[in-house]
Amino acid sequence: MDNRTHMMFHDEDVREEGKQLGIAIGEKRGIATGKMEAIQGTIDLLREAGLPEERLKTKVQQQFDLTNPQMQELFK
């Protein structure tokens, strides 16, 4: 195999790896977004049910293992 052919196959492999990585990143972001939307729905329901805000925050953070920045986003 000459150098040009080798480089062509290498470029194709790199493009395929990039495509697969992009798909994986997109799926991960989609799952994370879906999770946050579901948690937000749970928060809305519990607020409507009258659960005190501080108790709600504690329960949500424990149940879903959320970071402080995630909690700030959900409770802004």
Side-chain angles (χ1 to χ4, degrees):
M1 177 181 323
D2 67 13
N3 193 33
R4 179 180 253 184
T5 305
H6 175 73
M7 289 304 293
M8 185 176 70
F9 282 121
H10 173 72
D11 289 351
E12 189 174 312
D13 290 343
V14 169
R15 278 192 296 275
E16 183 60 30
E17 287 176 18
K19 178 181 171 185
Q20 293 302 320
L21 179 60
I23 290 170
I25 290 170
E27 287 175 350
K28 187 175 181 178
R29 286 182 184 163
I31 290 168
T33 299
K35 176 183 174 184
M36 295 303 279
E37 288 174 358
I39 294 169
Q40 188 65 61
T42 301
I43 291 168
D44 294 344
L45 286 172
L46 292 172
R47 280 179 173 155
E48 287 178 19
L51 191 66
E53 195 76 4
E54 285 308 311
R55 186 164 178 224
L56 173 60
K57 287 179 180 179
T58 301
K59 292 286 186 183
V60 167
Q61 191 164 23
Q62 289 173 350
Q63 179 66 35
F64 297 104
D65 192 31
L66 300 172
T67 64
N68 287 333
Q70 289 171 319
M71 289 294 291
Q72 289 174 348
E73 181 65 27
L74 288 166
F75 286 91
K76 60 182 174 181

